Structure formats: structure tokens, C-alpha cells
Amino acid sequence: MAAVQETIDRVKGIDVDQYRYGFETVIESEKAPKGLSEDTIRFISAKKNEPAWMLEWRLEAYRRWLTMTEPTWARVGYPKIDYQDLYYYAAPKPKKKVASLDEIDPEILKTYEKLGIPLREVELLEGVERPAAAAETDADGEAAAPRSKIAVDAVFDSVSVATTFKEELKKAGVIFMPISEALREHPDLVQKYLGTVVPTTDNYFATLNSAVFSDGSFVYVPSGVRCPMELSTYFRINERNTGQFERTLIIADKGAYVSYLEGCTAPQRDENQLHAAVVELVALDDAEIKYSTVQNWYPGNSEGVGGIYNFVTKRGDCRGANSKISWTQVETGSAITWKYPSCILRGDNSSGEFYSIAISNGFQQVDSGTKMIHLGKNTSSRIISKGIAAGKSQNTYRGLVSAHRKASGARNFTACDSLLIGDKCGAHTVPYIEAKNSSAVFEHEATTSKISEDVLFYCIQRGLSQEEAVGLVVNGFVKDVLQQLPMEFAVEAQKLISISLEGSVG
Amino acid sequence: MTALLEIKGLHAEIAGGRKIIQGLDLTVNKGEIHAIMGPNGAGKSTLSYVLAGKPGYEITAGEVYLNGEDLLAMEANERAAKGVFLAFQYPLEIPGVATLTFLRAAFNAQRKARGEEELSSPDLIKRVREIAKTLNIDAEMLKRPLNVGFSGGEKKRNETLQMALLQPSLCVLDETDSGLDIDALKVVANGVNALRSGERGMIVITHYQRLLDYIVPDIVHVFAAGRIVRTGGADLARELEATGYGQYQSEAA
Ligand SMILES: Nc1ncnc2c1ncn2[C@@H]1O[C@H](COP(=O)(O)OP(=O)(O)O)[C@@H](O)[C@H]1O
Ligand SMILES: [Mg+2]
């Protein structure tokens, strides 16, 4: 989005950031011509060898998008985006399909290595030691859990570059592959579910995504199968002036279970980059999906220059009876976050959960929360949100809990806690509650506190630096949510939280 | 021989201009325990905060040396790494942070600051458990979030545990007896006495003489209106118990 000329003009080449993932991978890439038109969409669809219906679907979304206006209701501000001054497709060359990791460009492998994302299955199988993780459990006096396997799909700019453990998953009947591949190999499954949770008409950014999405992950867990390992996708924006529009679709058939993790980083650049993803989850009868995100897109520098615009639509449909969808998010990155992972509690006795840690520092703006839409009978939902605002950032929790007329016995518990570090930041809580059924029981608790100078001094008197003290106190504040993450990601997240708050005090 | 702690002509005020410490001189040698006794509001806690480097106080005059080094020039965490430990009158609570996690963070932060290697978690846990046993602290308490929901006695035992783990060279105990029943007081005093050593100095701040029956000081100072107005031996504490602080308050005024 080079078009944001104002922003570029303010660039002063300041390099004071704490961001550890800001390096760029120098690699040749193939791009669609700049700008957005039906031709761009045809280009993307052709690149992916998509079935004809998919192209039609995209074009329909695009035509719809042309009639829509960008939403302005969130508590975020940014200069106007010029959608014509943006690349909608970038793929690392060569685009020859690779059969094994050895054929992947070593530069890309190196990138993931630097990011700490293991793409080599052997390393995972042998259990790469992570001492910090072990230490953490020991300290709490509990036995260290055996390290579990994680299958990784790595998306580099617009395409998936590697998916690990495909064979082992296949044996279990689990489909885990780039969505572009699923469109070719399992078109019926994709067609059956794509756009059924987030329709192409849903909102400005979701509609744009429907038109131009280039890759993302597809997961199908068949009836009665408990996915034998954690699945994870790692998103990386590398290319300049490129939007990333990934699309993820996860289906847990009757009685199935899957835990899925998503991580994201981007190079440090002084222009803003757009990331408009769509994630759709479908849980049928008795199925459970656990979706965790550790979002660490580049947040911009300490002057507020650059950073990712993270405008994402995530929604889960508890379509079947007794189904369960749980969202856990750790949001530390992005210049602007606009994101409301939601649950539609359609099946009777279904339940939805939203656990969130949203940290903003510098000039970051976060407007995030969830929607719990109770439609079925005896549905329940739980929302635990921890917002931490530091620097000159603004951090808003926005959440909707609604019970339909027929949703008898709907229950919700919401707890929103905000912690302020310093006095130039802001925390806001905007709850919307609609109960059209008189039997609904909705509880809402909210607190806002400032980090206590006395507590910080107590830690510092024991030898911690100011920043270590803040990190410790904040990690305590978010503990309830961290516990929801798979163990090794909890350790990563804990470190990330401390890093993202560096320079927030003193 | 350099003194462990040397305070010369110290004047300190609270941000806003209120003068609290007004001309304090005090020398603590290695191996000595000094008691500082004084009426409420005399500035005893303020003195402990100034030594520990708490923000919000302005030093308007005077010097403080720890082993000959300029203490006032150091950041608070640097002072901790150099061996200054303050047992707080009101220890603070940190929700969500297990006591053991806190102990490990503190211990390793100090080691790192001194250029020493961090202690591995199992070794640290072993060490903590050994000390905890002597203070009647069970393993369950080490898992609880630091000081959250702790009784007065548990908090003070926890402060003593931290002190024993960190092995400071200068211990400043602020009203360690407050909020303790006699049994808890004995446990804490035993813990403190176990730390008496020829290498370590202590300043025991208290309003009441009671604590000094269990932690017997070498030297007792009467602190009133921001300075030391009288110095004596352990028997001075008992005399004060009988006479009260009345005479010193008028003397200082
Ligand atoms: N942060 C503060 N702001 C204003 N006054 C304070 C503050 N801290 C202490 N004081 C005042 O300074 C004086 C000394 O307090 P303190 O050092 O706590 O005394 P002591 O510990 O001897 O009872 C008291 O009059 C107290 O009210
Ligand atoms: Mg006091």
C-alpha cells in the first residue's frame, strides 16, 4: 500500500524497534500486475488452476465489493487505502511444485528457521529440545509434558510453500493442505462449505478477500476422528506492497476433534501493508475445534510509521448439536487490528469460547473482541478478554452477545479486564448485549486498572529490570488465557508478550 | 576497613517538597545488626525506600555508600544485585505469578546483573524447598500467586524466604513484626537469625521492642523527626518500651 503517501512522507528511517521478525528475505517473486480488476482475479484463479465455479464465485464477490464502502465504526483511524496501488498476488519463484523440502528455495527455509518454525519433520519427530518450556513446567512443580507433534503449513506471501506430516495425517483420514490444492483435489468438499460461515457478502474486507484470496489452509477431519496432532499454519508476508488475503476453512465432521494454530510475522517496512484474511470453521454434531492464534505482524516503529493493517474476519459455526468452538488469540502485532473471532451457536447444547490477550504499544490501535450468537437451545458461551495498553496505543474490546428468540436457556459469561501501562494510552470496553429470549442468563464483568508502581518497585527491588518487572506482572495478568494455549505456544507467547512491551515504560 | 553501609548527612523529601529525612548519619559494619526504633510517621519506611531506590523521593543532600560504592548513583535493581534487600512492611501481591516463578525471576536477574550464570530450574527449586522447610512454608504455597491471599504471617515468612534465597549483604527489615502473632514471629526471627553472619549487615526497623527480644541487635538507634536522636546498646530498646517516644519527639521538634 505504497499509496499511503502521507505515511511514507513521514518516514524518517528510524530504527528503534523491538520487532525481532522484521528481516526481509531476498528472493525473486512472481506477481500479478498491480491493481485490482476482473483481470487480476482471472489471473489469480488461472495461476491456481481453479475450477470454473470458483472463478465465478470470486467475480461475484468482486462485483459486490465494488458496491460496498469501507466500515468506519471501529475505534481506529488510518489514511485512506488505495486499493489500486497494491499487488494482489506474489509467489516466490520457481513456482514449480515441490515434492520435498529439499526442493524448496533455501532462502525460504532459512526464513522459517530464523522465525523458529520447524519445517523439517525429522526435527519434530526427534523432539527438538526447548529448555525454556521444560523449565517453566518444572518451576510450577509439575512434570514436563512429552513434546507433541505439530503439522505445519507455511504460507509465504500468496502461496503455501510447505505442508509437513501430510502422510501421517492422510492415514488418519485428515485432510490438511493449502486451500488452492484442496480446490483441485477436493473441490466438492470445498464448494460445500466455502462461504457458508462468512458469506461473500459479509463485510467489506471479507468480500474483498473472497474475490482475491490466494492461499490459506484447508482442514477436514472426518467423522469420529481425533486429529492425531496439532495443525498449524504459519503466515509470512515478505513481498513489498503486497496484500495478504488468506482463506482458511476448517471442517470437523461429526464427533471429530482438531486443534489448530496460526502464527504470523512480516518484515519491518515503513509503509503499511494490508492483511485481510477470512477464517471459517464448521463444527458438526459433537465435534470440537480449538483455534489458537499468535499474531505478531509488524506493528510499525516507535513513531507509528509502517506496520500491518490486520483486518480479519474469523467466524465459527457450531452447526451441529453438542458442538464446541474455542478461539484463543494472542494479539501483539499489527499497526491496526480489526478482528472479532465469533461463534454462531446454532446446534442445541453447543458452546463457544473466546480467550483473548490483546497487547498494544507504541501507536498501535486494536479494536477486537467477539460475537457470540446464541440460536440453538441451551447454548453457552464464555468470553475472557485481557487487554493491555501501553505507549500511545488505543485498545478497545468490542463484543456482542445475543440470544435469538428461540434460544431458550442461553448462557454467557464475559470478563473483560484491561491493564494500562503509562498514562498516554487508552483502554475501552464496548459490550453489546441483546437477549430476545427471557430465559437467557448473561453475566458481564469488566475491570480497568493501571499497572501499580508499587508492585513494579517490589519486583525491581528484588533485582528485576523495569521491563522484566512489567513483563512478569503482565504475564500474571494474562495467565488465565495463556493456559488455554497448547503448552509450547504458551511459552512462546509469554516471551512475545514481554518483548512486545519493551520500551513501554520509563 | 570500609564500612558495609555509610550514610552521611542525608536529607530526603517526598516529591512535592515535604522533608522527611533531615540530616541522617549512620554506619553499619559487616556482621552488625542495627535496630532503628521510632514513633509512627518518623520516616523509618521512607529511609528504607531511599536506601532501596524507590522512585518518588528526592535526595537533597548527603551521601550513601555500600562497600565504598556510591549507592545513590545506582538504579534500584542494580542496588539489589549489589546486595541491598528490603523486607517490605506491606509485601505486594502479584496475581497470576506463582511464588516460585517470582523467586526464579529475581534470583536469575541478580545473577545475570553480576555476570554470573543462571541457576538451572531443578537446582533452584531444590534450594528454595530447603529454605522453605525451615520457615514452615509448604510446596503448595510456592505455587500460589505471590502474596495473593496470604495471611500476614505467610507474607512475612515469604519475605524471609526471599531474603534467604537471595543472600543479600545488607538486609533492611521494615516492621517485620507487624501483623504477626507470637508463633509466627518466632519462625520469622529464627529465619532472620540464621542469616546473621560476619559478612552481612542488617537494619531492623521497628516500632516495638518485642521483635528485638528475638532478633537481638548490637546497636539501637532512636529515630525521630527524620534523624537519629540517640544511640545505645540492646538495653536501650527495653528502656524505650518503658518510657515511650514522647521525649524524643519534643526534642527533635
Ligand atoms: N507517598 C507519600 N506521600 C505523602 N506523604 C507520605 C508518603 N509516604 C510517607 N509520607 C509521610 O511521610 C512521613 C514519614 O512516613 P514513613 O516513612 O512511612 O514513617 P514511619 O515508617 O516511620 O512510620 C509520614 O508523615 C507519612 O505520612
Ligand atoms: Mg513504616
Side-chain angles (χ1 to χ4, degrees):
Chain A
M1 272 171 354
V4 188
Q5 198 55 45
E6 276 170 64
T7 311
I8 297 168
D9 289 344
R10 281 187 284 137
V11 171
K12 292 178 190 82
I14 303 139
D15 189 23
V16 288
D17 302 275
Q18 316 293 335
Y19 196 67
R20 310 277 160 96
Y21 310 93
F23 61 89
E24 176 177 4
T25 308
V26 180
I27 188 169
E28 243 193 296
S29 79
E30 184 184 28
K31 290 186 214 155
K34 211 179 208 180
L36 184 53
S37 67
E38 295 206 358
D39 285 344
T40 319
I41 292 162
R42 286 179 208 282
F43 176 94
I44 296 170
S45 190
K47 275 279 161 225
K48 308 258 167 202
N49 286 321
E50 285 178 354
W53 64 264
M54 192 64 235
L55 174 61
E56 270 320 303
W57 197 86
R58 288 176 179 277
L59 290 171
E60 210 177 290
Y62 174 63
R63 289 170 198 142
R64 172 80 181 199
W65 181 74
L66 290 174
T67 69
M68 297 168 94
T69 46
E70 212 166 315
T72 53
W73 45 262
R75 197 186 182 102
V76 296
Y78 52 93
K80 203 157 171 45
I81 299 171
D82 181 349
Y83 290 90
Q84 293 307 334
D85 195 20
L86 188 61
Y87 291 103
Y88 286 83
Y89 181 86
K93 273 183 189 170
K95 64 172 201 16
K96 168 172 94 77
K97 199 160 160 28
V98 291
S100 84
L101 281 177
D102 300 328
E103 293 173 43
I104 293 178
D105 191 317
E107 283 302 315
I108 293 181
L109 281 181
K110 246 189 266 167
T111 301
Y112 284 95
E113 234 159 72
K114 267 201 240 176
L115 295 168
I117 312 300
L119 290 185
R120 292 196 180 274
E121 294 185 9
V122 283
E123 287 176 13
L124 282 169
L125 285 166
E126 284 166 9
V128 185
E129 208 47 62
R130 276 205 225 175
E136 194 56 38
T137 10
D138 283 348
D140 294 338
E142 280 142 29
R147 193 190 153 91
S148 51
K149 280 187 230 167
I150 301 171
V152 179
D153 184 18
V155 177
F156 197 83
D157 289 331
S158 304
V159 295
S160 169
V161 292
T163 307
T164 60
F165 288 105
K166 262 189 181 166
E167 284 310 308
E168 196 170 336
L169 288 168
K170 207 169 169 183
K171 258 184 246 157
V174 175
I175 303 173
F176 177 41
M177 55 174 59
I179 198 160
S180 55
E181 209 172 307
L183 271 163
R184 294 188 296 266
E185 292 185 23
H186 306 279
D188 297 345
L189 260 183
V190 177
Q191 192 171 19
K192 183 171 174 191
Y193 291 103
L194 188 71
T196 64
V197 186
V198 179
T200 52
T201 53
D202 195 79
N203 71 73
Y204 190 79
F205 298 112
T207 304
L208 175 63
N209 173 288
S210 301
V212 301
F213 79 85
S214 39
D215 222 331
S217 294
F218 176 79
V219 177
Y220 175 78
V221 186
S223 199
V225 171
R226 198 179 160 86
C227 185
M229 63 185 82
E230 305 269 355
L231 303 183
S232 94
T233 301
Y234 197 84
F235 296 105
R236 171 82 179 163
I237 298 179
N238 187 61
E239 200 56 41
R240 202 172 271 277
N241 294 336
T242 302
Q244 186 160 2
F245 304 92
E246 81 266 357
R247 184 104 192 175
T248 296
L249 175 59
I250 299 176
I251 302 128
D253 212 325
K254 291 180 183 172
Y257 169 84
V258 62
S259 168
Y260 181 93
L261 301 138
E262 150 197 84
C264 351
T265 59
Q268 205 159 321
R269 299 193 189 287
D270 40 26
E271 69 217 34
N272 295 105
Q273 278 182 287
L274 178 63
H275 171 255
V278 172
V279 174
E280 297 180 277
L281 311 181
V282 180
L284 301 182
D285 289 356
D286 305 303
E288 180 175 350
I289 301 175
K290 204 169 149 47
Y291 192 107
S292 313
T293 304
V294 177
Q295 185 267 111
N296 187 26
W297 297 117
Y298 178 53
N301 73 5
S302 58
E303 305 287 306
V305 177
I308 301 289
Y309 292 165
N310 190 35
F311 299 157
V312 167
T313 304
K314 289 184 167 170
R315 197 171 303 153
D317 189 357
C318 284
R319 207 164 280 182
N322 308 310
S323 56
K324 182 174 173 184
I325 288 178
S326 171
W327 297 100
T328 303
Q329 62 173 22
V330 179
E331 302 278 324
T332 63
S334 297
I336 304 176
T337 297
W338 180 99
K339 180 184 169 191
Y340 315 89
S342 304
C343 295
I344 300 166
L345 303 166
R346 198 184 304 276
D348 290 346
N349 304 311
S350 61
S351 64
E353 292 174 339
F354 174 73
Y355 296 100
S356 171
I357 298 170
I359 299 185
S360 54
N361 195 1
F363 286 84
Q364 283 177 279
Q365 305 174 64
V366 177
D367 196 299
S368 185
T370 185
K371 288 188 268 185
M372 293 291 175
I373 316 286
H374 294 254
L375 302 177
K377 292 187 180 32
N378 298 317
T379 50
S380 65
S381 60
R382 186 177 166 82
I383 299 170
I384 309 287
S385 164
K386 304 277 183 179
I388 298 128
K392 294 179 180 160
S393 68
Q394 295 294 327
N395 201 322
T396 302
Y397 167 82
R398 188 183 302 277
L400 166 72
V401 178
S402 79
H404 189 264
R405 211 162 31 80
K406 290 178 185 156
S408 56
R411 284 157 314 193
N412 165 267
F413 174 76
T414 299
C416 290
D417 298 315
S418 304
L419 185 67
L420 295 164
I421 301 173
D423 48 18
K424 296 193 177 68
C425 51
H428 320 276
T429 303
V430 190
Y432 304 89
I433 297 169
E434 303 167 2
K436 296 200 177 116
N437 184 297
S438 59
S439 67
V441 180
F442 291 168
E443 286 175 74
H444 181 95
E445 293 172 4
T447 66
T448 299
S449 49
K450 270 197 78 161
I451 198 161
S452 152
E453 294 296 332
D454 286 342
V455 168
L456 290 182
F457 174 66
Y458 185 70
C459 297
I460 292 166
Q461 205 299 305
R462 297 302 186 246
L464 275 66
S465 68
Q466 176 94 356
E467 282 171 353
E468 287 167 333
V470 170
L472 191 76
V473 172
V474 168
N475 271 303
F477 176 72
V478 301
K479 190 176 185 206
D480 300 349
V481 175
L482 275 184
Q483 280 172 339
Q484 298 296 326
L485 286 173
M487 200 263 280
E488 19 208 320
F489 281 77
V491 175
E492 287 301 310
Q494 207 169 7
K495 279 191 234 155
L496 187 59
I497 288 166
S498 300
I499 291 169
S500 59
L501 285 169
E502 277 179 19
S504 63
V505 279
Chain B
M1 193 194 76
T2 5
L4 172 64
L5 178 75
E6 200 174 6
I7 305 174
K8 292 196 257 184
L10 186 69
H11 288 254
E13 50 191 59
I14 300 168
R18 185 153 164 222
K19 295 177 170 60
I20 308 291
I21 310 282
Q22 305 179 65
L24 180 85
D25 295 288
L26 176 67
T27 300
V28 178
N29 292 301
K30 284 180 183 170
E32 290 176 353
I33 295 196
H34 289 237
I36 293 187
M37 301 184 70
N40 283 327
K44 303 186 296 295
S45 291
T46 302
L47 170 63
S48 72
Y49 291 145
V50 166
L51 291 176
K54 188 176 181 180
Y57 298 91
E58 199 189 333
I59 315 296
T60 49
E63 290 148 62
V64 181
Y65 297 97
L66 182 76
N67 289 314
E69 287 185 84
D70 185 356
L71 191 71
L72 299 178
M74 297 177 205
E75 296 291 338
N77 55 329
E78 235 179 303
R79 298 183 196 193
K82 293 270 185 196
V84 175
F85 182 95
L86 171 58
F88 284 63
Q89 181 171 0
Y90 304 107
L92 289 115
E93 303 181 357
I94 313 186
V97 176
T99 300
L100 201 48
T101 303
F102 179 79
L103 292 174
R104 186 182 52 214
F107 187 84
N108 284 330
Q110 292 202 9
R111 286 224 158 178
K112 208 171 78 189
R114 291 193 292 258
E116 298 164 7
E117 233 177 271
E118 295 189 358
L119 197 62
S120 78
S121 269
D123 287 346
L124 183 92
I125 290 165
K126 204 165 142 238
R127 202 179 285 200
V128 170
R129 291 217 173 117
E130 273 163 20
I131 303 166
K133 211 184 286 170
T134 67
L135 291 163
N136 285 344
I137 293 173
D138 59 25
E140 209 39 53
M141 188 170 135
L142 297 172
K143 286 190 198 171
R144 282 160 61 190
L146 186 74
N147 291 324
V148 178
F150 284 23
S151 69
E154 284 174 330
K155 283 183 181 170
K156 294 300 166 83
R157 275 186 282 152
N158 194 272
E159 292 291 286
T160 315
L161 167 66
Q162 294 179 38
M163 189 159 76
L165 175 70
L166 295 171
Q167 295 282 316
S169 54
L170 176 69
C171 305
V172 182
L173 283 67
D174 191 6
E175 308 270 3
T176 290
D177 50 333
S178 71
L180 293 188
D181 60 31
I182 194 73
D183 294 324
L185 179 62
K186 282 180 184 165
V187 173
V188 169
N190 282 339
V192 173
N193 285 328
L195 290 173
R196 288 187 96 138
S197 111
E199 289 305 304
R200 184 171 289 131
M202 294 193 191
I203 297 175
V204 179
I205 294 172
T206 182
H207 182 82
Y208 301 102
Q209 185 263 340
R210 187 180 71 151
L211 175 69
L212 304 180
D213 286 340
Y214 299 95
I215 304 173
V216 181
D218 301 301
I219 299 162
V220 174
H221 307 277
V222 181
F223 185 83
R227 70 179 78 107
I228 287 169
V229 292
R230 197 175 154 197
T231 295
D235 48 343
L236 176 56
R238 269 179 291 273
E239 183 193 316
L240 279 170
E241 188 77 352
T243 60
Y245 295 110
Q247 52 170 320
Y248 301 107
Q249 277 167 299
S250 49
E251 213 171 276

